[in-house]
Amino acid sequence: MAIESEVLVVGGGLAGLTSALAAAREGAEVRLVSYKQSTLRQASGLVDLLGYTPDGDGPLTDPYEAIPDLPTEHPYSTVGVDTVREAMDLFDDVTDYAGGHTDTNALVPTHGGTVKPTARYPRSAAAGLASDDRDLLLVGFDSMTDFDAPHAAAHLEAAGVPFDVRGETIRFPGDLRADAKVTRYAKLLDTNGGVAVRGRERPAREALAQRVNPLVDDEQRVGFPAVLGDDDHAGVRAALESKMGVDVFEVPMGPPSLPGLRLEDRLFAALDAAGASIETGNPVVDYDGGGRVERVYVEKNGAEIPMTADQYVLATGGLVGKGVESDREGVYEPIFDCHVPHSDDRYDWFDTDAFGDHPFAGFGLRTDDELRPLGTDEAVEFENLRAAGSVLGGYDFAAEKSGSGVSIATGYAAGTSAAAEVR
Amino acid sequence: MSDAESPDTDFEPVAPNTGEDFEPTEVFPDSDDFDLRPGADSCYKCSICDTNCPVAEVDDDFPGPKFQGPEQWRLKQTDDDYEIDDSVMDCSNCMRCDNACPSGVPLSQMHNTARGEYVSEQMDKTSVEYWRNRILANYRTSAWFASKVPRLANFAMNFGPARWVMEKTMGITSERDFPEFARQTFREWWADRGGADESRRRAREARERRGEPADADKKVAYFHGCYSNYNTPEVGKAMVRLYEHFGYEVVAPEQKCSGTPMFANGMLDDARRHAEVNVSSMSDLVEQGYDAIASCTSCSMALRQEYPELFDIDGIEEVAANTFEAVEYLRIHEDLRGAIREADVDGDLADEFAYHAPCHARNQGLDRQAVELFRELDGVGVEDVGESCSGISGTYGWKEEKYEKSMEIGDEMFDHMEHAEGDTGMTECPTCAMQMEHGTGYDIRHPLELLSAALAGE
Ligand SMILES: Cc1cc2nc3c(=O)[nH]c(=O)nc-3n(C[C@H](O)[C@H](O)[C@H](O)COP(=O)(O)OP(=O)(O)OC[C@H]3O[C@@H](n4cnc5c(N)ncnc54)[C@H](O)[C@@H]3O)c2cc1C
Ligand code: SF4
Ligand code: SF4
């Protein structure tokens, strides 16, 4: 015996979650197995579709318009622009993100003071859009050094935003330790827990609003680093807005990212609601099979737990997620040993300039038009295995700003066609 | 973050990471310390682990897993006089951080070793805190005494004035009720029932009924742990009946505490002594083809992960590789789903349950098992009450100075339990059960009890 399902998805990042969700919604019996938490917690929580072309042109206004001109090996070319749209519809359906009302990219200020073209953004970031012309105040906390509000404001100003922007730094009420965790702020605000202000216990939300109020001139919107609550982030924002009489928004931050974490929670909940089985904490390490994957093995401290399915989706991420690994000998995909095209000379893998055009950024699997990985001989490696997300090659998510979009689109395509095989 | 400045820009594709080539090596010849530097080196300071830490979420003085693990390790490597920071004693050993690290840093192993070193080298052995921790960690010893006179123990342990004295002199919170001791321990029941011989007889009967070969190789060694022996023998009995129903012969070998409370209190020598007994009895059986089965997820976690990470005992790897959680094992080897689809429950277990997944089930990939398994069982509903840690973390919530924090961590779970449909709780972990009951007043059951009632009819 083994643990059985119709579609088995390996990897719990954006790509794995989307493919499991797509397959489950098509009626397939789905199981998702993931090792660690996904790179969503490291990402900003913004969902980029395509911000720049592979040649660096941009920022693009309409990512969908640019997709047909991408190179053939690009994952968007593999799945086609209609599938990208359907995939984004699924995403919009299960999340509460904003941006779905238009094809054009939104411009969202980042914690470094740059403006980033993105397709979907958390509602909590909505009042901060750079295309809005209301004046803006950024508020940073002196204990959170990753966000220097005056510096970010100066950057935004230099970028030519159509409004006045100022930055102020305050002490978070209650004097949290200098390296307090983002979850500590979030929990305090979620529960409106007590903080000591001049010797008196005050509820955190009130204390924060009171501290910021005197700093607001005539700005109509105030941005904080993205630590405004976790479970009840909408409640935290609404409370601050009513106490401050302005719109409040969050500026997406570097890792660890609360918006990324909230998105992850949301997607897991949707997957649960769709009836899929989920298992995290242990890696898939091996498989049985020839032209078909018969079963895979999940490793728990030496014990190998067999799992079988009819169709498999590989969504184990790229170099960061550990779906693609490298050593001195080469670059490889560790579970199925799918072929990863790369130069034999490892000095060709990266550019000597740190910010150069690194080939490793595009490392990943090549597939047929059904997302099935191809071997050296251009033949499909396994008839029932599809790949999705940053385990795929042919694109550079950091340069193009396409990371989440590619994961969602290919995840959706892989999940939908895997489900079609079993129905 | 905006990926314009993602760590990718200085990503070195040939940098070492923990993976197959990660092997802790001993550098201090006469000590139990491992050099975890390769693990520390692969930390790229993304702080994702910190987002998982339930203690850092409520305790402003706790610097979090990244500091406790890789950072402290580096400080120690570069400065011979560096003393382990005493905050390591505030880590509850929930092991949630392990689940987070995208780079495979062995965080809980680092915490356990650092804590062991702190206790053995820096902690005052005459302090109240040391002895309090030691008593809490050696629950098995107290439980053994108590089980000899369960009625008296149940009374004395929860007798108000005595509890007041315990709090004032020993720092054991008087807010909690001590768990009740069973009148008959699991082992007493097991022996009365006829031990392994009786189990073999029943298993054979079941195999005949199931049409399986009489000599089928189906045998398991039950690691019942302290709690289901002394406090909740009904869990152990359910395990035995269920396994026999599927034709498995059960043995209950000699065993001590799994060591979980000792790891959390840095008492590695105590833990090792117990581990040696457990590994030796289990590895003999593993050699004879038995698999080790635990009904407590902290016990299975200890045997599977902490033992091989911390100790070097003959047979330890084999035991780890052949240890399973009780329900998980049946899912792998039997058509449990099929059986559940055809079953139903009535009586007092026909209920709606508010299920909490213990932290130590999470790393084993078992946090969703109960919810998914019972979806198709007629007569019951099992609702997941969310991913929050229960907050008690074994001995952590028993300490007077930690009690409030432990309740603050658990608050989200209590809240979700109260909003769930049922008024009965469910979990695999005995201390989580204690916390669930304490926070909501609900009765708490183990999934094995439900399974056994549905399938083995008892
Ligand atoms: C630092 C950083 C910042 C980013 N910022 C942005 C941004 O601002 N906007 C944007 O749109 N995109 C951003 N991205 C990109 C985006 O997050 C990723 O492209 C996308 O989320 C990748 O999703 P994935 O599912 O393919 O892979 P991952 O998220 O890497 O998930 C892979 C999953 O597979 C699991 N796994 C790996 N091996 C195994 C195994 N053997 N068995 C079982 N499970 C396994 C992993 O544990 C992980 O859960 C960023 C990425 C990074 C790293
Ligand atoms: S999650 Fe891992 S890599 Fe990130 S800070 Fe923690 S230990 Fe380091
Ligand atoms: S084991 Fe738990 S309490 Fe300890 S550092 Fe890790 S997450 Fe925090």
Side-chain angles (χ1 to χ4, degrees):
Chain A
M1 288 294 293
I3 293 171
E4 292 171 345
S5 47
E6 290 176 339
V7 176
L8 185 83
V9 177
V10 185
L14 203 44
L17 285 163
T18 313
S19 51
L21 201 53
R25 288 194 157 204
E26 291 292 315
E29 205 189 292
V30 179
R31 168 169 286 276
L32 176 130
V33 195
S34 183
Y35 185 19
K36 302 287 181 178
Q37 286 159 356
S38 70
T39 49
L40 277 174
R41 290 182 187 220
Q42 301 174 50
S44 57
L46 300 178
V47 172
D48 305 343
L49 207 54
L50 191 65
Y52 296 84
T53 67
D55 302 329
D57 294 336
L60 298 171
T61 310
D62 181 348
Y64 296 106
E65 204 179 78
I67 286 175
D69 299 327
L70 290 172
T72 48
E73 68 274 13
H74 197 288
Y76 283 146
S77 305
T78 310
V79 301
V81 67
D82 292 337
T83 304
V84 179
R85 281 183 192 277
E86 286 170 29
M88 293 309 286
D89 287 344
L90 172 66
F91 177 85
D92 290 338
D93 195 31
V94 296
T95 63
D96 60 348
Y97 266 47
H101 61 291
T102 168
D103 277 358
T104 48
N105 275 325
L107 295 172
V108 179
T110 70
H111 69 295
T114 59
V115 172
K116 175 164 167 169
T118 193
R120 298 289 186 279
Y121 45 96
R123 297 233 168 252
S124 68
L129 293 197
S131 47
D132 185 337
D133 59 8
R134 292 177 299 163
D135 290 349
L136 188 159
L137 173 68
L138 294 177
V139 176
F141 305 134
D142 62 358
S143 49
M144 289 186 72
T145 47
D146 319 4
F147 181 53
D148 179 338
H151 176 86
H155 261 239
L156 284 173
E157 198 107 85
V161 292
F163 46 80
D164 286 340
V165 47
R166 279 186 317 119
E168 297 271 7
T169 303
I170 61 162
R171 302 186 81 129
F172 190 85
D175 288 337
L176 299 193
R177 63 178 297 131
D179 60 345
K181 313 297 160 232
V182 293
T183 46
R184 174 88 185 112
Y185 295 94
K187 179 92 174 186
L188 256 180
L189 290 165
D190 262 350
T191 56
N192 205 11
V195 289
V197 182
R198 285 189 294 277
R200 279 204 312 144
E201 275 265 297
R202 311 258 306 123
R205 296 176 186 179
E206 281 75 8
L208 178 59
Q210 261 186 1
R211 196 156 280 191
V212 178
N213 269 335
L215 303 175
V216 185
D217 276 344
D218 40 16
E219 289 93 355
Q220 296 94 39
R221 45 186 184 147
V222 175
F224 292 94
V227 298
L228 304 182
D230 181 9
D231 274 354
D232 186 28
H233 58 96
V236 172
R237 235 171 36 251
L240 292 175
E241 288 182 338
S242 83
K243 288 180 186 30
M244 295 172 51
V246 292
D247 281 356
V248 166
F249 67 93
E250 288 185 320
V251 180
M253 297 286 293
S257 155
L258 270 174
L261 213 145
R262 295 177 199 141
L263 177 58
E264 194 182 27
D265 283 350
R266 189 92 184 190
L267 292 169
F268 272 108
L271 192 53
D272 188 20
S277 298
I278 305 167
E279 176 167 334
T280 62
N282 297 286
V284 172
V285 291
D286 206 357
Y287 76 100
D288 284 343
R292 259 184 98 75
V293 179
E294 300 295 344
R295 67 167 60 77
V296 297
Y297 293 94
V298 174
E299 201 209 58
K300 302 190 186 175
N301 274 93
E304 297 204 340
I305 316 282
M307 293 196 180
T308 61
D310 189 56
Q311 301 292 318
Y312 297 81
V313 176
L314 178 70
T316 44
L319 285 162
V320 181
K322 300 264 185 282
V324 176
E325 298 215 53
S326 63
D327 56 26
R328 283 174 186 274
E329 264 63 71
V331 187
Y332 60 99
E333 183 283 300
I335 304 176
F336 302 99
D337 200 17
C338 290
H339 172 58
V340 184
H342 64 279
S343 160
D344 282 340
D345 182 351
R346 72 188 176 90
Y347 291 97
D348 290 343
W349 297 352
F350 45 90
D351 196 286
T352 40
D353 174 8
F355 294 94
D357 191 8
H358 297 286
F360 72 77
F363 279 170
L365 310 184
R366 258 177 339 136
T367 70
D368 71 351
D369 53 11
E370 265 207 66
L371 292 169
R372 292 179 300 183
L374 297 174
T376 33
D377 53 358
E378 305 286 311
V380 166
E381 301 213 56
F382 304 96
E383 58 177 274
N384 60 344
L385 176 73
R386 289 172 179 76
S390 45
V391 72
L392 296 171
Y395 74 116
D396 177 347
F397 80 81
E400 296 168 13
K401 306 267 177 275
S402 63
S404 299
V406 167
S407 291
I408 293 171
T410 55
Y412 173 82
T416 313
S417 41
E421 296 286 331
V422 300
R423 286 289 108 174
Chain B
M1 86 189 274
S2 97
D3 45 22
E5 62 239 273
S6 85
D8 272 348
T9 45
D10 56 10
F11 187 79
E12 160 59 58
V14 291
N17 61 49
T18 59
E20 287 185 356
D21 13 285
F22 168 63
E23 232 183 273
T25 47
E26 277 192 59
V27 284
F28 310 106
D30 301 320
S31 88
D32 300 332
D33 298 335
F34 296 102
D35 178 12
L36 296 173
R37 234 197 75 199
D41 280 350
S42 44
C43 167
Y44 61 100
K45 295 196 191 292
C46 64
S47 300
I48 305 293
C49 50
D50 289 343
T51 61
N52 269 37
C53 177
V55 175
E57 194 171 284
V58 300
D59 181 355
D60 192 39
D61 295 328
F62 185 62
K66 178 179 61 167
F67 173 80
Q68 302 301 346
E71 286 185 2
Q72 181 142 261
W73 214 269
R74 272 195 211 111
L75 292 170
K76 191 138 184 64
Q77 296 292 325
T78 47
D79 174 2
D80 286 341
D81 298 328
Y82 179 79
E83 296 218 316
I84 306 280
D85 194 81
D86 60 6
S87 60
V88 75
M89 296 307 286
D90 294 337
C91 156
S92 72
N93 197 35
C94 67
M95 304 172 89
R96 283 212 172 210
C97 43
D98 270 4
N99 220 3
C101 179
S103 195
V105 176
L107 286 147
S108 71
Q109 183 184 10
M110 290 177 160
H111 303 161
N112 274 330
T113 26
R115 199 160 34 229
E117 181 165 329
Y118 175 82
V119 170
S120 78
E121 277 160 38
Q122 288 163 241
M123 205 170 180
D124 176 5
K125 305 296 175 305
T126 60
S127 66
V128 171
E129 190 189 355
Y130 176 79
W131 284 103
R132 187 267 319 263
N133 289 357
R134 203 138 183 212
I135 289 167
L136 285 175
N138 284 279
Y139 173 74
R140 185 178 186 278
T141 312
S142 330
W144 182 84
F145 278 116
S147 71
K148 302 291 158 201
V149 279
R151 277 199 248 196
L152 177 63
N154 289 337
F155 171 73
M157 294 293 238
N158 288 307
F159 176 57
R163 295 303 307 277
W164 184 83
V165 173
M166 279 168 86
E167 176 162 309
K168 293 300 159 212
T169 61
M170 287 171 39
I172 294 178
T173 178
S174 62
E175 298 284 341
R176 293 185 185 278
D177 293 332
F178 271 104
E180 208 164 307
F181 292 98
R183 304 275 167 83
Q184 186 192 36
T185 64
F186 168 76
R187 293 195 78 92
E188 285 161 2
W189 172 82
W190 173 254
D192 279 0
R193 184 175 182 256
D197 290 342
E198 174 63 11
S199 184
R200 182 172 316 118
R201 192 189 64 74
R202 291 189 186 222
R204 279 174 193 246
E205 234 174 65
R207 293 203 291 254
E208 207 165 298
R209 173 174 43 76
R210 294 165 57 83
E212 290 171 3
D215 57 352
D217 192 23
K218 293 174 94 168
K219 43 192 188 182
V220 297
Y222 180 33
F223 190 87
H224 47 67
C226 310
Y227 210 82
S228 65
N229 187 36
Y230 296 116
N231 302 95
T232 54
E234 61 276 12
V235 171
K237 293 177 198 169
M239 184 278 173
V240 169
R241 289 177 185 135
L242 182 66
Y243 269 69
E244 287 170 353
H245 169 80
F246 281 105
Y248 289 85
E249 301 170 14
V250 181
V251 294
E254 187 202 351
Q255 55 192 271
K256 298 245 173 192
C257 170
S258 69
T260 302
M262 299 161 188
F263 300 138
N265 286 289
M267 315 263 166
L268 292 188
D269 293 340
D270 289 351
R272 172 190 295 275
R273 260 199 313 282
H274 289 253
E276 275 164 1
V277 174
N278 296 335
V279 171
S280 122
S281 61
M282 288 298 169
S283 69
D284 284 351
L285 287 164
V286 164
E287 239 166 68
Q288 297 164 40
Y290 285 82
D291 287 309
I293 306 298
S295 51
C296 158
T297 41
S298 292
C299 294
S300 48
M301 189 68 169
L303 267 61
R304 281 177 147 170
Q305 180 172 327
E306 285 161 315
Y307 281 13
E309 273 182 1
L310 297 170
F311 307 131
D312 189 11
I313 304 173
D314 250 5
I316 210 161
E317 306 283 348
E318 291 72 21
V319 172
N322 290 287
T323 298
F324 299 86
E325 188 271 337
V327 178
E328 171 190 38
Y329 189 80
L330 291 179
R331 270 168 73 223
I332 300 167
H333 296 283
E334 303 295 330
D335 182 14
L336 204 50
R337 259 184 82 183
I340 282 178
R341 251 184 224 144
E342 273 155 35
D344 56 54
V345 274
D346 45 31
D348 69 333
L349 280 161
D351 203 350
E352 294 290 324
F353 293 93
Y355 173 76
H356 161 76
C359 294
H360 288 180
R362 234 160 251 282
N363 284 7
Q364 297 178 64
L366 303 174
D367 52 322
R368 304 254 320 161
Q369 179 172 270
V371 180
E372 286 165 6
L373 197 60
F374 292 126
R375 264 180 191 157
E376 292 163 293
L377 178 60
D378 276 347
V380 301
V382 176
E383 184 178 339
D384 195 335
V385 295
E387 57 171 30
S388 155
C389 169
S390 79
I392 187 167
S393 283
T395 60
Y396 178 86
W398 279 93
K399 300 176 179 171
E400 192 241 337
E401 74 281 9
K402 304 277 194 300
Y403 173 77
E404 294 290 336
K405 278 169 205 147
S406 120
M407 294 302 281
E408 211 180 312
I409 296 170
D411 202 46
E412 191 176 319
M413 178 190 74
F414 305 143
D415 200 50
H416 287 170
M417 281 178 75
E418 266 146 26
H419 284 92
E421 209 169 307
D423 293 334
T424 310
M426 176 181 278
T427 193
E428 287 90 348
C429 168
T431 46
C432 288
M434 229 183 258
Q435 177 86 332
M436 293 165 82
E437 187 186 342
H438 183 62
T440 59
Y442 292 3
D443 266 352
I444 317 295
R445 311 301 291 259
H446 192 289
L448 277 171
E449 294 180 74
L450 185 53
L451 258 187
S452 175
L455 304 179
E458 278 175 86

